[in-house]
Amino acid sequence: MSTKKIVITGGPSTGKTSVIEYLENLGYPCLHEVIRLMTLAQKEEKNDLVFKTNPIVSVADPKEFNERILNARVSQYHSLKGVATDEVVFFDRGIPDVLAYMDCFGQAYGTDFEKACTDHPYDHVFIMPPWKEIHVSDNERFENYEESLQVHRCLTHSYTQLGYEVEMVPKMAVAERAAYILDAIKNKT
């Protein structure tokens, strides 16, 4: 048996991080979104930097920024060495999210990006659908609702193109969504 690597992904304001935090409070190991920390660091580095849209298109060198995100997600993936082999680990976004966002914002990437995705497989991918009633734009979520719909389409497409069966998580309370994910994982084993 090996560690089960489970991705929970979705566009902005879909409830993804709330579910990850809930699962973590239940005692499951969870690896958090790397771009939030990178965005804060980029803002601190340039005190006058204000993002009006996704940082992937706001930074001076989007390709370099995406490479940093990709490398951080690959490092996160490798950080599982030493985790119990029968354990379930949740990722707040996976490596293919980088490609999805680059596709969404019309940015080119090379085979090194694709190889990073195929070399680091996940066991299950859950996607949170856009949810207008909970959507907000703030200092960490830059996309409006229509852009969130586009991000959702790109995420679904990227994971599907890589051969994943993407499972849509219904719009429910956080605890119910977490239970839905845990039940789906149990039923797949």
Side-chain angles (χ1 to χ4, degrees):
M1 212 182 329
S2 64
T3 305
K4 294 247 179 271
K5 299 169 198 73
I6 312 298
V7 172
I8 299 177
T9 191
S13 291
T14 57
K16 172 181 61 65
T17 302
S18 296
V19 171
I20 290 280
E21 289 170 351
Y22 185 87
L23 290 165
E24 189 169 44
N25 287 334
L26 291 178
Y28 289 96
C30 297
L31 299 171
H32 295 276
E33 167 62 273
V34 298
I35 195 169
R36 287 177 192 246
L37 297 173
M38 292 174 67
T39 301
L40 290 173
Q42 192 82 24
K43 281 183 173 182
E44 287 174 12
E45 187 178 302
K46 298 183 175 89
N47 291 334
D48 60 343
L49 182 63
V50 176
F51 293 128
K52 293 189 185 319
T53 186
N54 192 289
I56 291 171
V57 295
S58 301
V59 295
D61 187 346
K63 186 168 189 290
E64 185 271 336
F65 190 70
N66 283 310
E67 286 172 349
R68 287 179 38 218
I69 296 168
L70 182 74
N71 292 334
R73 291 214 174 112
V74 168
S75 292
Q76 218 180 31
Y77 187 97
H78 289 291
S79 72
L80 296 179
K81 289 181 171 71
V83 173
T85 58
D86 61 345
E87 198 151 14
V88 172
V89 177
F90 292 97
F91 290 78
D92 186 343
R93 298 198 180 281
I95 297 167
D97 282 55
V98 178
L99 274 64
Y101 269 83
M102 291 179 79
D103 285 341
C104 194
F105 292 103
Q107 298 172 340
Y109 49 84
T111 56
D112 53 331
F113 280 79
E114 294 166 353
K115 185 170 175 15
C117 293
T118 57
D119 287 353
H120 302 91
Y122 299 97
D123 296 293
H124 206 104
V125 178
F126 292 93
I127 190 165
M128 304 288 192
W131 193 345
K132 193 167 193 163
E133 291 76 18
I134 67 170
H135 184 86
V136 293
S137 295
D138 60 21
N139 290 336
E140 294 175 352
R141 295 173 191 95
F142 309 95
E143 297 88 353
N144 61 37
Y145 183 71
E146 287 71 29
E147 290 168 324
S148 179
L149 292 170
Q150 178 62 21
V151 168
H152 175 76
R153 286 188 290 272
C154 290
L155 287 165
T156 302
H157 177 77
S158 287
Y159 278 98
T160 303
Q161 287 295 107
L162 289 164
Y164 290 100
E165 180 182 321
V166 178
E167 185 157 349
M168 196 77 55
V169 178
K171 297 174 186 175
M172 304 181 280
V174 172
E176 292 172 317
R177 291 178 119 187
Y180 176 90
I181 289 167
L182 293 170
D183 286 343
I185 294 166
K186 191 180 347 173
N187 292 334
K188 289 279 182 179
T189 56

